């Protein structure tokens, strides 16, 4: 059901909250008549902190105005005439309001939709929870909202008592003044003749006695009222503190933890709107109770009555000030963290937000926020920003858009610690007052740890430092201490999260993949996952010590796999075409039981960011598994993995038994176009000299394996026989990009000459193809 249909069914306070979302900035009629269009747009795809997204926002604004104008034009009849005028007016009004700031329109509509969804969800959960049970999140939200209702009732109760106390005290003062007047009259009797004094004095004495008796009783009553009110305020403040603890120490801390894990690729931390609404309710009720306590103090000063009330009010004042101070200082947060790997001389952004700024009217005198990096010497450019209030969303925030780190002053490092292990933090601080300068706050907040680099080559090691810190930071730690060792399953969770985020894939690391990584990390041969459950891995094992026999660490190898997969192999990983995390011996064991031409793709053990093809084939004496020299990003920038697999005719079936074209053909580069103006464009092709044969027929695989690979599944490839040409291989068999491009240019030059003089008898070159040889190594370490 559309959100707007459900929103119109809200009742009571929820309906009032929904209606309060609208006004001149966005009329409710626009929401009503364009409800389907509004809910079908991708508002969340626009990053409000990115000025470059303004073009997208402008297009949405223009479309909104066009939809309004269309809706206005289709109105007919007497009622339609008025609506036509109204909708046309709204179209003009929205254009004037948002034409110069279209991102504000997006911010406004996102806030409206989010709030409507929340109100509908809360109303649905409270009326008809599925199966009589609510999920824990909804139940928690209901408890928080219920506590707010109790606090609202308690605050209203004390307000009523305060009014009653004030009324009684005012009447007491009137009677007290009457007592003084009677006393004055009695005093003046001394000036009268004795007979007249005796006549009038008894009556005044009786009247004074009656008033004084009433004043005594009423003074005790007022004192009791004051004590009762103070006790009620104590209970309210206890509940306020408890509610604030739940929101700040539980919900807000959890949001910050989700924000930290999002830096490792975890799910988004979620919006702050619901947290802000809770914090604003807290601020409102705290302030109301603070004003009530101040009024009670004022009444006590107007009419001092001996007793313990003075000390009680002093304690209440101190408590309420502590509560509001904790609220304000805790809700000064970093909504958008600066990059955690920070390169000098490079622009970066961050957003700071005060969740209670709108409710406490801090925006009436917008405070300035300053950012400094904690290294002893300020060196951030463009590090001052004034907080801005967004009327449509009620948010007060400062957007640092063009900060840059000019230089870095490093501390002395000890032992094996490298510059990419040194962590800094950015301090954001501000000062502002509330309540007409009644209270002045100095607020500060620290960013997540950042690692400062000066060159891109330091990025992967800096990322390791950040990943370890984000994953294993303990609550309330001394910045920025982290455990030196963690359980292997904890690291598995962290790197799996990072891998899925970097590759942008729902296919994460399987248990088999994690066992392979454990074998690599611990130099172990065990294939039993249980053997690694209670093992710990240290930071040194993760990214300080090189793997045995290698010149790179565990993380550097894993990071290379992620980069290669992200840039060149993502579709094949998502398709399940890449086993990847398989060692050489495992690949051999898997392939030896399969038909000739069966192959698999595994990440290279010996090279960072490399992937190799292993396949089973006959040699003159026996069947064996061959391993192709690993491909890297450099290779795939020349020719894709799918095209390379297509080139190699001896590769028939992707392990275990899928014809390769069934898996890879959708990624093949389309055939070259026909010659233009007599010229034929050269094409790079890959061959493996030892396996350069005409395209084989899968049905010709050796008899013992025919039952495993039906000829009907084979896909024939009509390629001409390639003549091996090896000018791009060095004596070691290494592939050289520069030499390759020289050959390509040479072929292109030759192709421009008369064909009858150049290409006689060379079918390969007539077709304009250039064969690049790949080097193979049987049972190599690649």
């Amino acid at each position: 059901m559309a959100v707007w249909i459900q929103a119109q069914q809200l009742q009571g306070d929820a309906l009032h909250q929904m209606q309060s979302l609208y006004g001149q900035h966005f009329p409710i009629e626009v929401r009503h008549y364009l409800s389907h269009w509004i809910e079908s747009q991708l508002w969340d795809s626009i990053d409000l902190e990115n000025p470059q997204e303004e073009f997208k926002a402008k297009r949405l604004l223009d479309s909104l105005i066009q939809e309004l104008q269309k809706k206005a034009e289709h109105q007919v009849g007497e009622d339609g005439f008025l609506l036509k005028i109204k909708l046309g007016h709204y179209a003009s009004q929205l254009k004037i309001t948002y034409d110069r700031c279209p991102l504000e329109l997006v911010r406004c509509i996102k806030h409206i939709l989010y709030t409507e969804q929340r109100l509908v969800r809360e109303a649905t959960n409270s009326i008809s929870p599925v199966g009589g049970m609510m999920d824990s999140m909804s139940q928690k939200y209901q408890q928080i909202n219920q506590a707010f209702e109790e606090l609202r009732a308690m605050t209203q109760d004390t307000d009523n008592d305060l009014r009653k106390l004030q009324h009684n005290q005012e009447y007491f003062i009137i009677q007290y003044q009457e007592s003084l007047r009677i006393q004055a009259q009695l005093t003046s009797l001394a000036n009268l003749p004795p007979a007249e004094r005796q006549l009038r004095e008894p009556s005044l004495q009786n009247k004074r006695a009656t008033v004084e008796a009433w004043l005594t009783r009423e003074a005790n009553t007022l004192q009791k009222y004051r004590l009762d009110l103070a006790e009620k305020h104590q209970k309210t403040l206890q509940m306020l503190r408890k509610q604030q603890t739940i929101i700040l120490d539980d919900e807000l801390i959890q949001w910050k933890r989700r924000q930290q894990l999002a830096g490792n690729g975890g799910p988004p931390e979620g919006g702050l709107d619901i947290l802000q609404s809770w914090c604003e309710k807290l601020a409102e009720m705290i302030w109301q109770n603070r004003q009530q306590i101040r009024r009670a103090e004022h009444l006590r000063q107007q009419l001092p009555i001996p007793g313990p009330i003075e000390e009680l009010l002093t304690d209440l004042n101190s408590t309420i000030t502590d509560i509001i101070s904790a609220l304000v200082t805790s809700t000064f947060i970093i909504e958008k963290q600066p990059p955690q790997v920070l390169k000098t001389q490079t622009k970066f952004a961050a957003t700071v937000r005060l969740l209670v700024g709108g409710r406490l009217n801090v925006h009436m005198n917008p405070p300035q926020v300053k950012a400094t990096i904690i290294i002893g010497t300020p060196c951030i450019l463009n590090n001052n920003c004034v907080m801005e209030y967004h009327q449509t969303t009620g948010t007060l925030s400062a957007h640092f858009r063009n900060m840059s780190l000019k230089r870095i002053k490093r501390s002395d490092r000890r032992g094996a610690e490298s510059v990419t292990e040194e962590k800094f933090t950015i301090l954001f601080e501000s000062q502002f007052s509330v309540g007409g300068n009644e209270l002045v706050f100095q607020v500060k907040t620290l960013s997540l740890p950042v690692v400062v680099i000066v060159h891109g080559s330091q990025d992967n090691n800096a990322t390791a430092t950040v990943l370890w810190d984000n994953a294993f930071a303990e609550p309330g730690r001394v910045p920025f201490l982290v455990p030196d060792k963690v359980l292997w399953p904890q690291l598995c969770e962290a790197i799996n999260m990072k891998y899925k985020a970097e590759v942008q894939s729902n296919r994460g690391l399987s248990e088999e993949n994690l066992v392979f990584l454990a074998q690599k990390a611990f130099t172990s041969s065990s294939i039993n996952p249980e053997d690694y459950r209670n093992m710990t891995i240290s930071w040194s094992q993760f990214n300080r010590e090189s793997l045995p026999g290698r010149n790179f660490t565990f993380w550097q190898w894993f990071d290379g796999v992620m980069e290669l997969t992200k840039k060149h192999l993502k579709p094949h990983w998502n398709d399940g075409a890449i086993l990847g995390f398989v060692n050489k011996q495992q690949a051999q064991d898997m392939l030896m039981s399969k038909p000739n031409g069966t192959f698999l793709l595994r990440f290279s053990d010996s090279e960072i960011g490399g992937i190799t093809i292993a396949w089973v084939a006959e040699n003159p004496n026996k069947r064996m598994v061959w391993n192709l020299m690993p491909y890297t990003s450099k290779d795939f920038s020349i020719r894709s993995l799918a095209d390379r697999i297509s080139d190699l005719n001896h590769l028939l079936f992707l392990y275990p038994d899928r014809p390769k074209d069934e898996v890879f053909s959708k990624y093949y580069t389309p055939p070259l176009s026909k010659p233009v103006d007599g010229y034929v464009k050269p094409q790079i092709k890959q061959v493996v000299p030892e396996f350069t044969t005409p395209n084989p027929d899968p049905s010709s695989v050796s008899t013992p394996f025919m039952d495993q690979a039906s000829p009907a599944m084979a896909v024939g490839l009509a390629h001409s026989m390639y003549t091996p040409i090896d000018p791009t291989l060095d004596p070691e068999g290494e592939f050289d990009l520069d030499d390759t491009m020289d050959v390509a240019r040479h072929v292109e030059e030759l192709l421009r000459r008369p064909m009858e003089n150049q290409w006689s008898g060379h079918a390969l070159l007539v077709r304009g193809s250039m064969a690049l040889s790949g080097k193979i190594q049987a049972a190599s370490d690649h």
Side-chain angles (χ1 to χ4, degrees):
M1 187 186 297
V3 175
W4 181 241
I5 294 175
Q6 295 174 296
Q8 294 176 79
Q9 298 170 7
L10 294 171
Q11 297 180 357
D13 183 57
L15 178 62
H16 176 72
Q17 288 184 54
M18 186 271 286
Q19 291 171 336
S20 68
L21 296 171
Y22 299 96
Q24 291 185 348
H25 61 280
F26 197 81
I28 196 169
E29 292 89 345
V30 176
R31 175 71 174 100
H32 180 74
Y33 287 104
L34 297 186
S35 60
H36 177 73
W37 182 88
I38 289 171
E39 292 179 32
S40 65
Q41 304 308 303
L42 300 177
W43 304 103
D44 286 334
S45 67
I46 296 180
D47 182 3
L48 296 174
E49 311 308 327
N50 185 357
Q52 295 180 353
E53 297 275 73
E54 191 167 298
F55 177 71
K56 287 188 193 175
K58 183 65 166 60
R59 283 194 303 180
L60 280 171
L61 170 62
D62 293 341
S63 298
L64 173 67
I65 292 170
Q66 289 175 7
E67 290 294 322
L68 263 180
Q69 291 171 338
K70 264 195 286 184
K71 181 66 72 173
E73 290 170 1
H74 286 88
Q75 302 304 316
V76 295
E78 185 176 344
D79 294 337
F81 174 74
L82 294 176
L83 183 57
K84 181 176 183 177
I85 293 175
K86 183 177 283 189
L87 293 179
H89 170 71
Y90 289 151
S92 301
Q93 179 181 319
L94 289 171
K95 182 171 180 60
I96 293 170
T97 303
Y98 296 110
D99 199 47
R100 292 187 178 181
C101 52
L103 285 172
E104 285 303 306
L105 173 72
V106 177
R107 189 189 303 275
C108 168
I109 295 179
K110 285 174 73 171
H111 174 68
I112 286 172
L113 293 176
Y114 175 85
T115 306
E116 285 180 351
Q117 290 167 357
R118 176 176 61 81
L119 291 171
V120 166
R121 185 171 61 249
E122 290 174 356
T124 304
N125 288 338
S126 63
I127 295 172
S128 57
V130 178
M133 296 290 290
M134 294 178 290
D135 58 59
S136 59
M137 188 67 74
S138 299
Q139 191 171 10
K140 184 187 296 182
Y141 286 5
Q142 187 184 43
Q143 290 171 351
I144 291 174
N145 291 331
Q146 184 176 352
F148 274 125
E149 290 302 318
E150 291 180 30
L151 282 167
R152 184 176 286 109
M154 293 170 72
T155 302
Q156 185 61 53
D157 183 42
T158 50
D159 188 66
N160 292 337
D161 285 355
L162 189 60
R163 293 176 187 274
K164 183 178 179 181
L165 173 62
Q166 181 176 354
H167 174 77
N168 289 351
Q169 181 167 311
E170 288 172 351
Y171 187 68
F172 180 92
I173 291 173
I174 291 172
Q175 293 303 313
Y176 180 73
Q177 293 295 330
E178 177 66 13
S179 171
L180 293 178
R181 188 180 65 81
I182 294 172
Q183 182 60 44
Q185 288 178 341
L186 284 170
T187 302
S188 65
L189 290 179
N191 299 324
L192 295 178
E196 186 177 350
R197 184 171 67 243
Q198 290 177 0
L199 180 65
R200 299 179 58 183
E201 188 172 28
S203 173
L204 288 173
Q205 290 283 9
N206 290 335
K207 195 172 183 181
R208 184 179 68 174
T210 302
V211 171
E212 287 184 350
W214 182 90
L215 288 173
T216 301
R217 290 195 308 272
E218 191 62 19
N220 291 329
T221 302
L222 287 175
Q223 184 73 308
K224 185 176 183 305
Y225 279 172
R226 288 177 177 181
L227 291 172
D228 289 346
L229 181 59
E231 288 178 1
K232 285 186 177 182
H233 274 131
Q234 283 180 326
K235 291 180 180 179
T236 303
L237 296 194
Q238 287 174 359
M239 190 169 183
L240 273 171
R241 195 186 286 277
K242 180 180 178 182
Q243 180 82 328
Q244 184 161 294
T245 299
I246 292 172
I247 293 170
L248 299 184
D249 294 353
D250 294 344
E251 298 300 317
L252 185 56
I253 293 298
Q254 287 178 25
W255 180 89
K256 290 181 178 181
R257 179 58 180 154
R258 292 195 299 271
Q259 185 186 56
Q260 191 172 25
L261 289 177
N264 277 3
E269 61 269 32
L272 283 166
D273 288 350
I274 191 165
L275 274 170
Q276 175 165 317
S277 70
W278 288 341
C279 292
E280 286 181 337
K281 287 179 181 178
L282 276 173
E284 183 178 1
M285 290 184 183
I286 293 170
W287 197 257
Q288 286 176 359
N289 278 273
R290 184 175 186 274
Q291 295 302 98
Q292 287 181 15
I293 293 169
R294 289 173 64 84
R295 283 163 55 194
E297 173 67 21
H298 180 67
L299 290 176
R300 188 199 66 80
Q301 291 173 352
Q302 277 187 332
L303 183 62
I305 300 175
I309 189 63
E310 182 175 359
E311 184 177 348
L312 282 173
L313 288 174
T314 300
D315 290 343
L316 288 173
N317 259 315
S318 176
T319 301
I320 198 75
T321 302
D322 288 345
I323 292 174
I324 197 168
S325 296
L327 177 66
V328 173
T329 54
S330 298
T331 55
F332 182 66
I333 62 168
I334 302 173
E335 181 178 5
K336 181 181 178 182
Q337 291 280 343
Q340 287 188 263
V341 177
L342 202 56
K343 188 178 178 183
T344 55
Q345 310 294 333
T346 302
K347 287 184 180 180
F348 66 94
T351 300
V352 178
R353 182 165 163 181
L354 181 62
L355 297 180
V356 295
R359 193 53 56 98
L360 294 180
N361 294 322
V362 176
H363 61 285
M364 301 303 290
N365 185 20
Q368 187 175 75
V369 183
K370 183 179 180 181
T372 52
I373 194 161
I374 305 300
I375 55 175
T377 305
C379 54
I380 299 180
L381 302 179
N382 302 315
N383 65 330
N384 285 285
C385 185
V386 175
M387 300 195 87
E388 299 176 1
Y389 183 69
H390 304 279
Q391 185 72 41
T392 53
T393 59
T395 59
L396 182 70
S397 53
H399 304 283
F400 294 85
R401 295 184 173 89
N402 295 298
M403 288 191 290
S404 65
L405 192 59
K406 185 177 179 181
R407 63 185 182 276
I408 189 70
K409 177 183 177 182
R410 298 191 182 275
S411 60
D412 294 332
R413 292 178 300 282
R414 293 175 295 176
E417 186 180 77
S418 68
V419 295
T420 55
E421 294 180 37
E422 187 176 8
K423 290 177 282 191
F424 301 94
T425 182
I426 297 178
L427 169 69
F428 296 90
E429 53 187 333
S430 183
Q431 178 176 308
F432 51 83
S433 61
V434 297
N437 293 323
E438 287 181 25
L439 297 173
V440 178
F441 295 100
Q442 290 184 335
V443 293
K444 300 179 181 181
T445 187
L446 294 175
S447 75
L448 292 173
V450 299
V451 178
V452 180
I453 63 175
V454 296
H455 192 274
S457 62
Q458 299 172 311
D459 183 79
N460 63 345
N461 290 326
T463 301
T465 301
V466 166
L467 181 141
W468 189 276
D469 192 281
N470 286 344
F472 310 124
E474 297 175 351
R477 64 173 174 174
V478 176
F480 284 108
L481 294 180
V482 284
D484 183 61
K485 292 182 178 181
V486 297
L487 288 171
W488 171 250
Q490 290 178 285
L491 182 63
C492 288
E493 182 180 354
I495 61 178
N496 185 41
M497 180 186 293
K498 186 70 173 177
Y499 187 86
K500 289 197 292 184
E502 288 294 314
V503 180
Q504 296 180 342
S505 172
N506 291 325
R507 181 192 171 200
L509 302 175
S510 66
E511 188 171 81
E512 291 79 10
N513 298 155
L514 295 172
V515 167
F516 169 87
L517 293 172
Q519 291 174 327
K520 184 176 288 291
F522 298 114
T523 318
S524 169
S525 59
S526 173
I527 60 171
N528 184 1
E530 293 301 321
D531 290 345
Y532 303 106
R533 294 278 184 231
N534 297 317
M535 292 185 69
T536 59
I537 183 169
S538 68
W539 166 254
S540 292
Q541 289 173 293
F542 181 65
N543 194 46
R544 185 177 287 171
E545 301 169 356
S546 294
L547 293 171
R550 307 298 182 197
N551 62 353
F552 47 79
T553 66
F554 173 85
W555 165 256
Q556 289 166 348
W557 181 88
F558 183 78
D559 186 57
V561 165
M562 284 197 303
E563 281 295 300
L564 181 71
T565 307
K566 176 174 69 174
K567 291 180 178 177
H568 300 287
L569 308 178
K570 181 166 65 175
H572 308 303
W573 174 263
N574 289 338
D575 290 347
I578 297 174
L579 291 180
F581 300 95
V582 176
N583 63 38
K584 177 192 140 193
Q585 185 59 52
Q586 288 173 322
Q588 182 166 325
D589 294 342
M590 294 164 70
L591 291 169
M592 284 300 289
S593 63
K594 297 298 178 183
N596 289 339
T598 303
F599 67 99
L600 59 80
L601 298 160
R602 67 180 187 85
F603 297 122
S604 170
D605 283 317
S606 60
E607 186 165 356
I608 292 180
I611 190 169
T612 185
I613 301 174
W615 75 96
V616 63
E618 295 284 351
N619 77 356
N621 300 317
K622 63 177 180 178
R623 296 179 77 243
M624 61 186 300
V625 172
W626 303 76
N627 291 275
L628 197 62
M629 177 178 287
Y631 299 124
T632 64
S633 287
K634 178 180 177 181
D635 301 310
F636 292 136
S637 66
I638 299 170
R639 189 155 176 80
S640 71
L641 174 65
D643 286 341
R644 290 175 182 273
I645 290 174
S646 174
D647 293 344
L648 301 178
N649 295 331
H650 60 280
L651 303 182
L652 302 178
F653 305 107
L654 177 68
Y655 182 89
D657 55 11
R658 297 178 66 189
K660 72 175 183 182
D661 282 2
E662 178 185 297
V663 180
F664 296 101
S665 61
K666 59 185 174 182
Y667 303 112
Y668 293 163
T669 301
L672 295 174
S673 59
K674 295 180 180 180
V676 179
D677 297 331
Y679 291 106
V680 179
K681 186 176 181 181
Q683 180 181 5
I684 296 176
K685 290 280 189 179
Q686 174 180 253
V687 297
V688 177
E690 293 86 339
F691 291 85
T692 304
T693 60
N695 191 53
D697 183 350
S699 64
S700 65
V701 296
S702 54
T703 303
F705 303 100
M706 285 293 291
D707 59 337
Q708 299 180 37
S710 169
M713 296 175 63
V715 180
L717 299 178
H719 285 308
S720 298
M721 179 176 179
Y722 294 142
T723 303
I725 301 176
D726 297 336
T728 60
L729 294 179
D730 63 18
E732 301 291 324
E734 295 289 346
F735 182 86
D736 189 286
L737 176 62
D738 294 334
D739 290 344
T740 301
M741 300 315 295
D742 287 342
V743 172
R745 285 192 291 270
H746 180 61
V747 171
E748 187 172 5
E749 179 183 346
L750 291 176
L751 287 171
R752 293 194 177 98
R753 300 177 185 176
M755 293 179 64
E756 63 272 18
N757 296 331
Q758 299 294 332
W759 309 120
S760 176
H762 295 278
L764 168 66
L765 299 180
V766 168
R767 290 181 52 177
S769 299
M770 181 181 71
L772 299 180
S773 298
K775 181 180 177 182
I776 59 171
Q777 249 185 340
S780 72
D781 290 334
H782 297 298

